[in-house]
Amino acid sequence: MHQRRFKFQQSNGGQLAITLACRAPPEEQAGRTLTWQIGDSNASNNGASEQPADAAGSAAPAAPASAAAAPDLIGLDIWPASIALCRYLAAHPQLTEGLDVLELGAGMGLVGLAAAALGARSVLLTDYEPEVLAHLASNASLNGLQQRCSCAQIDWRAPSQGLATGQRGSWRLVLAADVLYASVVVQPFIDTLLLALHPQGVALVGHQVRRAIVLDPASRLPRLEECDEPLERFKAACAAGGLAVRLLGSRQTCSYVDTDPMVLLAVGWPSAAEVLERLPEPAPNGGSNGSSIRCDGSSDGNANSELQST
Ligand SMILES: C[S@@+](CC[C@H](N)C(=O)[O-])C[C@H]1O[C@@H](n2cnc3c(N)ncnc32)[C@H](O)[C@@H]1O
């Protein structure tokens, strides 16, 4: 495991620093864009049943069919949308201050730990993969945030098993980064939001737009899909489930080799419409306040990205 240090510029001029033990070395992380070969025949399985391909479209080894058969370790890496979401939170600490926060699909916990460091009263860091959960707990300790953070297993496919009765409909702030990485995870994720969100609550979802590489049936040549299928499915399924979605920001990234846009979405019940409306937009261009949802290296001197890997 590598230790990586992330720094985010805060609106008060300070810096928020989070250290994580995670799997991928930065150069490997930077060079990767995942696309997913999506098949609805996998719908009864989890996201791990889908096959990642690298940026050149070459198929990676088949992912496991179930977490029981082989662990789904996608959460051991740090995904760019989590950095983007952290920047937004660091620029707007009032969004987390004093709140009990739920993070879904936390992976290494960058977003939830940032929320705790920014003044959330408590953060429940959740994931479904036991090995990922073990790292989550140790990352909380690594940052001295174990008092304010707890970890729990929540599987979106059975959210009522992970959320106690008293926790249902109670969360005023839910955070999730890069959880819409495959179509099959979209509906279970929304089911979890529907169960978790307080009537006045909001979920902030950071997402890197990814258009899958598909084989054109006519030409037999690879081509990029027209749109990000999981994202479109997410918007449609939110509407079908009665949730309102506000696009807070969308911009091109310059994250090493990734050129796909980063989007930040806010989701809530119609009764939270005013709360959604009041949410600040991310600052343009990754400006000096560091609140942009751009996700990149530290080339602009904003000190917003990982500075050290050991
Ligand atoms: C692409 S990773 C993103 C991790 C982290 N949020 C980040 O941005 O670095 C997706 C995360 O969702 C979790 N996940 C996938 N399917 C899940 C499910 N059915 N229930 C709960 N978590 C799930 C994975 O274990 C992983 O941690």
Side-chain angles (χ1 to χ4, degrees):
M1 296 298 278
H2 292 253
Q3 267 195 17
R4 298 173 67 195
R5 192 164 170 78
F6 295 80
K7 288 190 176 180
F8 301 97
Q9 197 71 41
Q10 289 184 253
S11 53
N12 63 7
Q15 270 191 351
L16 167 68
I18 301 288
T19 304
L20 297 179
C22 54
R23 181 175 59 168
E27 58 279 13
E28 195 181 298
Q29 181 95 2
R32 180 183 43 218
T33 298
L34 279 186
T35 59
W36 299 87
Q37 297 172 350
I38 296 158
D40 276 351
S41 57
N42 287 332
S44 61
N45 292 331
N46 52 54
S49 65
E50 299 174 0
Q51 294 182 328
D54 65 22
S58 59
S66 79
D72 171 11
L73 300 180
I74 189 174
L76 293 185
D77 298 337
I78 308 297
W79 295 86
S82 66
I83 298 173
L85 184 48
C86 283
R87 287 184 178 179
Y88 180 72
L89 296 177
H92 306 289
Q94 75 279 9
L95 297 178
T96 44
E97 255 164 31
L99 286 185
D100 297 317
V101 177
L102 171 67
E103 184 179 8
L104 296 172
M108 294 297 89
L110 181 61
V111 172
L113 294 174
L118 286 165
R121 184 168 67 172
S122 73
V123 180
L124 181 59
L125 303 160
T126 73
D127 207 285
Y128 79 144
E129 174 56 49
E131 192 170 333
V132 172
L133 282 167
H135 282 96
L136 260 181
S138 61
N139 278 336
S141 302
L142 192 60
N143 290 278
L145 292 167
Q146 66 277 15
Q147 303 292 342
R148 235 178 289 175
C149 295
S150 49
C151 301
Q153 186 173 41
I154 294 183
D155 186 334
W156 309 328
R157 295 162 300 171
S160 54
Q161 283 175 19
L163 276 176
T165 314
Q167 292 175 317
R168 298 178 197 166
S170 72
W171 299 94
R172 287 180 177 270
L173 183 59
V174 178
L175 301 172
D178 222 326
V179 291
L180 307 174
Y181 58 91
S183 288
V184 292
V185 302
V186 170
Q187 191 57 52
F189 176 72
I190 289 178
D191 292 342
T192 309
L193 283 186
L194 290 169
L195 191 69
L197 271 175
H198 185 276
Q200 302 289 318
V202 293
L204 295 175
V205 180
H207 177 73
Q208 184 175 21
V209 175
R210 295 188 187 97
R211 294 184 297 150
I213 299 169
V214 293
L215 203 59
D216 189 291
S219 67
R220 306 302 297 162
L221 292 172
R223 63 167 172 78
L224 272 182
E225 269 188 342
E226 293 296 317
C227 60
D228 179 330
E229 221 266 339
L231 179 60
E232 295 312 311
R233 200 178 274 220
F234 177 72
K235 292 185 210 159
C238 279
L243 291 174
V245 179
R246 179 178 162 209
L247 176 66
L248 291 173
S250 167
R251 67 187 57 262
Q252 292 301 126
T253 65
C254 57
S255 62
Y256 305 106
V257 297
D258 286 337
T259 53
D260 292 332
M262 196 72 68
V263 296
L264 185 55
L265 301 156
V267 181
W269 293 107
S271 49
E274 271 185 40
V275 187
L276 286 184
E277 212 38 55
R278 281 202 306 269
L279 287 169
E281 285 177 16
N285 293 332
S288 57
N289 67 0
S291 61
S292 160
I293 60 168
R294 202 180 75 181
C295 174
D296 60 7
S298 53
S299 58
D300 61 3
N302 265 350
N304 281 326
S305 59
E306 55 269 65
L307 297 182
Q308 150 188 334
S309 174
T310 54

